[in-house]
mmCIF file of all heavy atoms in Angstrom:
data_model
loop_
_atom_site.group_PDB
_atom_site.id
_atom_site.type_symbol
_atom_site.label_atom_id
_atom_site.label_comp_id
_atom_site.label_asym_id
_atom_site.label_seq_id
_atom_site.Cartn_x
_atom_site.Cartn_y
_atom_site.Cartn_z
ATOM 1 N N VAL A 612 -9.804 -21.764 3.403
ATOM 2 C CA VAL A 612 -9.607 -20.426 2.852
ATOM 3 C C VAL A 612 -10.859 -19.582 3.101
ATOM 4 O O VAL A 612 -10.766 -18.403 3.461
ATOM 5 C CB VAL A 612 -9.278 -20.487 1.354
ATOM 6 C CG1 VAL A 612 -9.141 -19.084 0.772
ATOM 7 C CG2 VAL A 612 -8.003 -21.274 1.120
ATOM 8 N N SER A 613 -12.018 -20.183 2.926
ATOM 9 C CA SER A 613 -13.269 -19.469 3.209
ATOM 10 C C SER A 613 -13.331 -19.033 4.672
ATOM 11 O O SER A 613 -13.771 -17.922 4.985
ATOM 12 C CB SER A 613 -14.473 -20.342 2.871
ATOM 13 O OG SER A 613 -14.652 -20.441 1.475
ATOM 14 N N ALA A 614 -12.897 -19.911 5.575
ATOM 15 C CA ALA A 614 -12.892 -19.552 6.999
ATOM 16 C C ALA A 614 -11.972 -18.369 7.249
ATOM 17 O O ALA A 614 -12.305 -17.448 8.013
ATOM 18 C CB ALA A 614 -12.454 -20.754 7.838
ATOM 19 N N GLY A 615 -10.810 -18.368 6.603
ATOM 20 C CA GLY A 615 -9.885 -17.256 6.774
ATOM 21 C C GLY A 615 -10.420 -15.963 6.203
ATOM 22 O O GLY A 615 -10.323 -14.900 6.824
ATOM 23 N N LYS A 616 -10.989 -16.029 5.000
ATOM 24 C CA LYS A 616 -11.526 -14.825 4.372
ATOM 25 C C LYS A 616 -12.702 -14.279 5.173
ATOM 26 O O LYS A 616 -12.817 -13.073 5.404
ATOM 27 C CB LYS A 616 -11.944 -15.148 2.935
ATOM 28 C CG LYS A 616 -11.962 -13.951 1.994
ATOM 29 C CD LYS A 616 -13.333 -13.359 1.815
ATOM 30 C CE LYS A 616 -13.339 -12.258 0.762
ATOM 31 N NZ LYS A 616 -14.658 -11.624 0.568
ATOM 32 N N LEU A 617 -13.606 -15.163 5.608
ATOM 33 C CA LEU A 617 -14.764 -14.743 6.386
ATOM 34 C C LEU A 617 -14.332 -14.083 7.690
ATOM 35 O O LEU A 617 -14.780 -12.979 8.031
ATOM 36 C CB LEU A 617 -15.656 -15.954 6.676
ATOM 37 C CG LEU A 617 -16.900 -15.695 7.530
ATOM 38 C CD1 LEU A 617 -17.889 -14.812 6.787
ATOM 39 C CD2 LEU A 617 -17.559 -17.028 7.913
ATOM 40 N N ASN A 618 -13.446 -14.745 8.418
ATOM 41 C CA ASN A 618 -13.028 -14.217 9.721
ATOM 42 C C ASN A 618 -12.235 -12.918 9.582
ATOM 43 O O ASN A 618 -12.507 -11.928 10.256
ATOM 44 C CB ASN A 618 -12.178 -15.250 10.457
ATOM 45 C CG ASN A 618 -11.748 -14.769 11.826
ATOM 46 O OD1 ASN A 618 -12.532 -14.780 12.767
ATOM 47 N ND2 ASN A 618 -10.504 -14.334 11.952
ATOM 48 N N ASN A 619 -11.252 -12.905 8.717
ATOM 49 C CA ASN A 619 -10.323 -11.783 8.700
ATOM 50 C C ASN A 619 -10.914 -10.526 8.090
ATOM 51 O O ASN A 619 -10.548 -9.416 8.485
ATOM 52 C CB ASN A 619 -9.031 -12.177 7.996
ATOM 53 C CG ASN A 619 -8.195 -13.120 8.845
ATOM 54 O OD1 ASN A 619 -8.642 -13.600 9.885
ATOM 55 N ND2 ASN A 619 -6.978 -13.396 8.418
ATOM 56 N N THR A 620 -11.837 -10.663 7.132
ATOM 57 C CA THR A 620 -12.507 -9.461 6.638
ATOM 58 C C THR A 620 -13.411 -8.878 7.717
ATOM 59 O O THR A 620 -13.469 -7.656 7.887
ATOM 60 C CB THR A 620 -13.328 -9.753 5.372
ATOM 61 O OG1 THR A 620 -14.165 -10.891 5.591
ATOM 62 C CG2 THR A 620 -12.425 -10.017 4.189
ATOM 63 N N ARG A 621 -14.102 -9.735 8.442
ATOM 64 C CA ARG A 621 -14.937 -9.250 9.544
ATOM 65 C C ARG A 621 -14.094 -8.555 10.609
ATOM 66 O O ARG A 621 -14.441 -7.468 11.085
ATOM 67 C CB ARG A 621 -15.686 -10.426 10.178
ATOM 68 C CG ARG A 621 -16.857 -10.962 9.398
ATOM 69 C CD ARG A 621 -17.381 -12.209 10.090
ATOM 70 N NE ARG A 621 -18.662 -12.664 9.571
ATOM 71 C CZ ARG A 621 -19.267 -13.775 9.974
ATOM 72 N NH1 ARG A 621 -18.684 -14.551 10.888
ATOM 73 N NH2 ARG A 621 -20.437 -14.123 9.460
ATOM 74 N N VAL A 622 -12.994 -9.182 10.985
ATOM 75 C CA VAL A 622 -12.117 -8.621 12.013
ATOM 76 C C VAL A 622 -11.568 -7.270 11.569
ATOM 77 O O VAL A 622 -11.581 -6.289 12.330
ATOM 78 C CB VAL A 622 -10.966 -9.597 12.327
ATOM 79 C CG1 VAL A 622 -9.834 -8.906 13.084
ATOM 80 C CG2 VAL A 622 -11.485 -10.787 13.135
ATOM 81 N N ALA A 623 -11.088 -7.198 10.342
ATOM 82 C CA ALA A 623 -10.490 -5.954 9.854
ATOM 83 C C ALA A 623 -11.517 -4.829 9.815
ATOM 84 O O ALA A 623 -11.221 -3.687 10.193
ATOM 85 C CB ALA A 623 -9.884 -6.169 8.466
ATOM 86 N N LEU A 624 -12.713 -5.125 9.354
ATOM 87 C CA LEU A 624 -13.752 -4.099 9.286
ATOM 88 C C LEU A 624 -14.141 -3.628 10.683
ATOM 89 O O LEU A 624 -14.329 -2.424 10.914
ATOM 90 C CB LEU A 624 -14.968 -4.654 8.539
ATOM 91 C CG LEU A 624 -16.106 -3.677 8.248
ATOM 92 C CD1 LEU A 624 -15.601 -2.446 7.505
ATOM 93 C CD2 LEU A 624 -17.199 -4.380 7.434
ATOM 94 N N ASP A 625 -14.237 -4.555 11.629
ATOM 95 C CA ASP A 625 -14.567 -4.174 13.003
ATOM 96 C C ASP A 625 -13.461 -3.312 13.613
ATOM 97 O O ASP A 625 -13.734 -2.329 14.317
ATOM 98 C CB ASP A 625 -14.780 -5.434 13.845
ATOM 99 C CG ASP A 625 -15.264 -5.103 15.256
ATOM 100 O OD1 ASP A 625 -16.321 -4.462 15.383
ATOM 101 O OD2 ASP A 625 -14.577 -5.478 16.221
ATOM 102 N N ILE A 626 -12.204 -3.650 13.334
ATOM 103 C CA ILE A 626 -11.083 -2.855 13.837
ATOM 104 C C ILE A 626 -11.120 -1.453 13.235
ATOM 105 O O ILE A 626 -10.911 -0.451 13.925
ATOM 106 C CB ILE A 626 -9.753 -3.558 13.549
ATOM 107 C CG1 ILE A 626 -9.584 -4.763 14.477
ATOM 108 C CG2 ILE A 626 -8.565 -2.602 13.704
ATOM 109 C CD1 ILE A 626 -8.378 -5.623 14.177
ATOM 110 N N ALA A 627 -11.392 -1.360 11.931
ATOM 111 C CA ALA A 627 -11.461 -0.047 11.286
ATOM 112 C C ALA A 627 -12.561 0.809 11.899
ATOM 113 O O ALA A 627 -12.369 2.006 12.161
ATOM 114 C CB ALA A 627 -11.689 -0.224 9.778
ATOM 115 N N ARG A 628 -13.701 0.208 12.140
ATOM 116 C CA ARG A 628 -14.821 0.967 12.725
ATOM 117 C C ARG A 628 -14.505 1.405 14.144
ATOM 118 O O ARG A 628 -14.810 2.532 14.547
ATOM 119 C CB ARG A 628 -16.078 0.102 12.704
ATOM 120 C CG ARG A 628 -16.641 -0.140 11.313
ATOM 121 C CD ARG A 628 -17.720 -1.208 11.342
ATOM 122 N NE ARG A 628 -18.388 -1.352 10.046
ATOM 123 C CZ ARG A 628 -19.197 -2.360 9.732
ATOM 124 N NH1 ARG A 628 -19.417 -3.336 10.625
ATOM 125 N NH2 ARG A 628 -19.773 -2.421 8.548
ATOM 126 N N THR A 629 -13.873 0.526 14.921
ATOM 127 C CA THR A 629 -13.530 0.883 16.291
ATOM 128 C C THR A 629 -12.458 1.960 16.332
ATOM 129 O O THR A 629 -12.521 2.899 17.137
ATOM 130 C CB THR A 629 -13.050 -0.360 17.064
ATOM 131 O OG1 THR A 629 -14.068 -1.369 17.014
ATOM 132 C CG2 THR A 629 -12.761 -0.029 18.520
#
Side-chain angles (χ1 to χ4, degrees):
V612 177
S613 286
K616 205 262 186 181
L617 178 67
N618 181 77
N619 287 8
T620 50
R621 284 174 169 176
V622 164
L624 186 55
D625 186 58
I626 287 173
R628 290 169 173 168
T629 303

